[in-house]
């Protein structure tokens, strides 16, 4: 449980801490080399976040690097992880989206159009205005089950860590983003959805994005984005 004083101190202290990137996947328990199966992002050195949810960089953040990656095979129904280069230091939440390459070749897939569906999230935990905690904070990675009924094929896997420590003003929220490339085998006949466009899924004014986590302590938290598709 964090008091208002502790939360405020955490915010000030976090401003001088390093940001982070998500350069690796975790497949069959093995962490892949940095930027091998994840498209190298513009902030691979600076670690600066995206703040404009309408920017083309909100998708995979690779406009400057023309990020390329090789594609790793992942079985439907198995566990897939996404690794941070350190930890997710800032208080905030996580969403993971996927999008299937319509051509069958994810290496040439930009991810444009209403093709993205959410497969995992980590939200905030509130206690009626007494406390707010962020289970994703300080995690070195996130892991989720690739839905067993997900159709086989090649997909982008998009990680977004939404840092909320300065989100009380418009475009104060910080987004740490990357896109991995996977080839799903042994899949099923599920129909993922709801499908959204990225950018386009958010305006930046959603209650879970334009958000004051300090005072008064929120009584609830609304996770941005569509519902999670589990198959």
């Amino acid at each position: 449980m964090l008091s208002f004083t502790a939360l405020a101190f955490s915010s000030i202290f976090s401003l001088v801490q390093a940001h982070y990137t998500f350069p690796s996947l975790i497949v069959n328990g093995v962490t892949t080399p940095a930027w091998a199966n994840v498209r190298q992002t513009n902030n691979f050195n600076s670690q600066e976040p995206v703040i404009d949810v309408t920017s083309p960089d909100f998708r995979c953040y690779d406009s400057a690097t023309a990020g390329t990656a090789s594609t790793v095979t992942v079985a439907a129904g198995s566990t897939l992880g996404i690794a941070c280069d350190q930890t997710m230091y800032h208080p905030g939440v996580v969403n993971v989206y996927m999008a299937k390459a319509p051509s069958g070749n994810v290496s040439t897939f930009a991810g444009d159009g209403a093709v993205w569906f959410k497969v995992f999230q980590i939200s905030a935990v509130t206690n009626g205005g007494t406390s707010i905690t962020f289970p994703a904070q300080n995690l070195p990675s996130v892991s989720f089950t690739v839905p067993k009924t997900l159709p086989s094929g090649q997909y982008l896997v998009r990680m977004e860590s939404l840092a909320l420590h300065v989100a009380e003003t418009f475009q104060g929220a910080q987004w740490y983003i990357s896109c991995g490339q996977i080839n799903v085998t042994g899949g099923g006949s599920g129909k993922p959805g709801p499908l959204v466009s990225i950018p386009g899924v958010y305006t930046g004014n959603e209650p879970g994005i334009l958000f004051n986590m300090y005072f008064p302590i929120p009584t609830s938290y609304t996770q941005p984005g569509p519902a999670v598709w589990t198959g």
Side-chain angles (χ1 to χ4, degrees), residues 21-87:
T21 62
F22 295 93
S24 301
L25 301 180
I26 305 172
V27 180
N28 298 322
V30 177
T31 302
T32 64
W35 313 118
N37 302 118
V38 176
R39 296 179 177 181
Q40 189 177 73
T41 51
N42 297 357
N43 67 338
F44 75 98
N45 276 328
S46 71
Q47 299 185 320
E48 289 302 305
V50 177
I51 60 170
D52 183 358
V53 300
T54 68
S55 165
D57 271 329
F58 191 64
R59 185 180 299 149
C60 291
Y61 202 6
D62 61 353
S63 62
T65 60
T68 59
S70 56
T71 304
V72 64
T73 296
V74 177
S78 67
T79 299
L80 177 64
I82 304 168
C84 191
D85 63 347
Q86 43 186 303
T87 67

Side-chain angles (χ1 to χ4, degrees), residues 8 68 70 107 119 136 138 146 157 165 184 199 223:
T68 59
S70 56
S107 295
V119 291
N138 293 320
V146 178
V157 180
H165 57 295
V184 174
Q223 186 82 359

